[in-house]
């Protein structure tokens, strides 16, 4: 198949997108006869912002108005690229980046692992090695003696102009950092890490990032207390609502512990749950109460929101939030932190924080854990009685990349579903080989410009395909009026909700979604009301 665009085209000096795609290019969705069409790029965006990567945009970089602005972008980009390989400026991931930068053998094995590349109809710019190879050639041209001397004869043939810079900023956000490509690479090259470090370059050196991730994410989290904008007083009001709603749902009053000194567990949720899916933190409270677990939430700013968007693009913001989480747990005298159903928040605090937390903040001093093993332990211990027949409807499982592929938490959620959901079936592929939901690395919350179309049509397309295939024998909405896609991750749920709406999967097939804890509470023997609302899509 002929390539649509070359590596050197990243510097092409015009407004025409490097790639475009039509509905015919996209992979088929089985059982779906029609879907919303692709909308053209709005002219109001094209006139003002850099849209020439693929006609879509999630950052909104204004086109330079002068030669000085163009030169500024180029100068700061090259400065940031140099810093990525400087131990003093970028010590957290420098070694891993250097190895991935140096050892790619260009076999292209990783391409077939990428959900965006496959869903798009194999568009060249979405293959995992495309952005990596551009950066290698730029590095060689501007920072090595042989590149400066011999240029294109040694592969140092990508020019850096303002188009190169702005397209690379967007291109860094066409990878969900799911690391499926790294899993497939025979050399262990991590192209997702290269994409992440490219994002870091733009965030830390130029202040360029999607507004939802940096300004409304990291900055707002530290300034206000939550990436959602929820203040400590707002959090306390949310807890009061949860307690009232629990009473309405199950007919029992439960007091949710907040700032309880000496509790064994500090539970931290993605704060988006309180606003979008309150049934999730409610289910945790019901389960922990019934199982006799010593736990608490924290009302101190930052401590009630597990989100750490620095994981995706900024080491400094990552460290600031991680330090606050652990210090709050220590101030309460908790023995461990358990992160609720949020994949990126779990990976950020349980794994990546080890690169920035030391001494009394290290994991040897205060444990940091994923919630899924604890949820399985509640079932396995028989501390609560469950009736699987209460979940007697088709259920499939989405594996959040950050907990499953990146952390190896594979069995607990499966053992739990097999115990409480008699019609559970796997997606194909599944486990560490499962595809990303399409909303990883911040995509789930990015609503700016026309990026939601890219996320729904390409980012989430493979997940919708897997979902339809998992339920292929029960798509009839009359015979099978309720089907449940279990996604134990807030960001995954956000993407899946939007994709189900976009493709009309609830109206056409009665496919809904939710977390694992909701299914557990729904199956509790001691609760005689359905906890899951079967008639609604939300």
């Amino acid at each position: 198949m002929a390539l649509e665009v070359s590596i050197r085209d990243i510097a092409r000096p015009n407004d025409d997108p490097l790639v475009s795609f039509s509905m015919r290019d996209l992979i088929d969705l089985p059982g779906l006869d029609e879907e919303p069409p692709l909308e053209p790029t709005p002219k109001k965006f094209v006139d003002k912002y850099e849209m020439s990567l693929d006609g879509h945009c999630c950052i909104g970089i204004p086109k330079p108005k002068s030669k000085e602005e163009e030169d500024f972008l180029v100068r700061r980009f090259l400065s940031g690229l140099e810093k990525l390989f400087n131990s003093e400026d970028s010590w957290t991931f420098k070694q891993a980046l250097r190895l991935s930068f140096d050892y790619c053998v260009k076999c292209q094995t990783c391409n077939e692992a990428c959900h965006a590349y496959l869903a798009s109809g194999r568009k060249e710019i979405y293959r995992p090695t495309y952005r990596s190879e551009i950066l290698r050639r730029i590095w060689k041209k501007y920072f090595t003696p042989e590149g400066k001397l011999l240029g294109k004869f040694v592969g140092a043939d990508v020019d850096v102009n303002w188009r190169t810079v702005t397209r690379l900023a967007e291109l860094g956000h066409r990878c969900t950092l799911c690391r499926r490509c790294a899993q497939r690479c025979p050399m262990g090259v991590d192209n997702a890490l290269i994409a992440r470090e490219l994002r870091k370059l733009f965030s830390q050196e130029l202040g360029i990032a999607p507004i939802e991730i940096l300004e409304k994410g990291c900055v707002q989290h530290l300034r206000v207390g939550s990436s959602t904008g929820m203040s400590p007083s707002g959090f306390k009001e949310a807890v009061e609502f949860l307690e009232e709603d629990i009473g309405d749902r199950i007919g029992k009053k439960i007091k949710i512990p907040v700032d309880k000194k000496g509790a064994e567990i500090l539970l931290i949720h993605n704060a988006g749950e309180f606003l979008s899916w309150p049934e999730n933190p409610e289910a945790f409270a019901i389960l922990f109460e019934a199982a006799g677990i010593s736990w608490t939430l924290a009302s101190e700013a930052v401590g009630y929101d597990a989100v750490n968007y620095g994981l995706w693009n900024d080491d400094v913001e990552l460290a600031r939030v991680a330090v606050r989480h652990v210090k709050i747990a220590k101030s309460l005298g908790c023995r461990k932190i358990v992160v609720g159903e949020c994949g990126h928040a779990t990976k950020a605090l349980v794994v990546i924080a080890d690169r920035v937390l030391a001494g009394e903040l290290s994991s040897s001093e205060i444990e940091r854990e994923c919630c899924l093993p604890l949820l399985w332990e509640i079932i396995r211990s028989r501390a609560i009685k469950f009736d699987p027949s209460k979940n007697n409807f088709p259920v499939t499982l989405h594996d959040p990349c950050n907990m499953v592929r990146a952390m190896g938490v594979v069995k607990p959620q499966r053992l739990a579903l097999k115990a409480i959901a008699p019609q559970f079936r796997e997606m194909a592929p599944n486990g560490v080989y499962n595809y990303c939901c399409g909303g990883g690395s911040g995509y789930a919350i990015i609503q700016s410009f026309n990026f939601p179309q890219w996320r729904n049509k390409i980012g989430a397309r493979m997940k919708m395909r897997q979902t339809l295939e998992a339920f292929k024998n029960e798509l009839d909405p009359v015979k099978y009026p309720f089907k449940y896609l279990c996604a134990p991750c807030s960001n995954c749920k956000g993407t899946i909700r939007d994709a189900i709406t976009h493709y009309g999967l609830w109206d056409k097939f009665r496919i809904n979604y939710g977390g694992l804890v909701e299914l557990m509470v729904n199956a509790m023997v001691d609760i005689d009301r359905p906890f899951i609302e079967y008639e609604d899509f939300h």
Side-chain angles (χ1 to χ4, degrees), residues 241-253 529:
F241 168 80
L242 297 181
E243 291 175 338
E244 293 176 3
D245 199 47
I246 288 173
D248 294 338
R249 280 175 173 269
I250 69 173
K252 297 180 182 179
K253 295 293 184 181
R529 305 179 188 178

Side-chain angles (χ1 to χ4, degrees), residues 215-232 235 269-272 274-275 300-307 309:
E215 290 300 321
K216 292 184 179 180
C218 297
V219 175
Q220 183 168 250
H221 194 175
L222 291 162
R223 185 181 67 245
V224 179
S226 167
S227 60
T228 65
M230 181 187 293
S231 65
F235 164 73
H269 293 289
N270 180 320
F274 298 115
L275 302 176
E300 187 174 339
V302 180
Y304 50 84
D305 189 352
V307 165
Y309 290 154

Side-chain angles (χ1 to χ4, degrees), residues 291-358:
I293 292 172
S294 172
W295 70 291
T296 188
L297 301 178
S299 68
E300 187 174 339
V302 180
Y304 50 84
D305 189 352
V307 165
N308 191 336
Y309 290 154
L311 174 70
W312 295 323
N313 74 325
D314 197 309
D315 292 346
V316 175
E317 302 297 342
L318 168 77
R320 286 171 176 163
V321 172
V323 168
R324 293 292 301 125
H325 283 154
V326 177
K327 283 187 174 180
I328 289 168
K330 288 184 70 69
S331 70
L332 290 172
C334 298
R335 187 175 69 83
K336 69 172 71 172
I337 302 172
V338 173
V339 184
E341 292 188 2
C342 180
H344 93 266
T346 301
K347 180 184 172 184
L349 188 59
V350 176
V351 178
I352 305 302
D354 280 340
R355 291 183 175 269
V356 296
L357 299 179

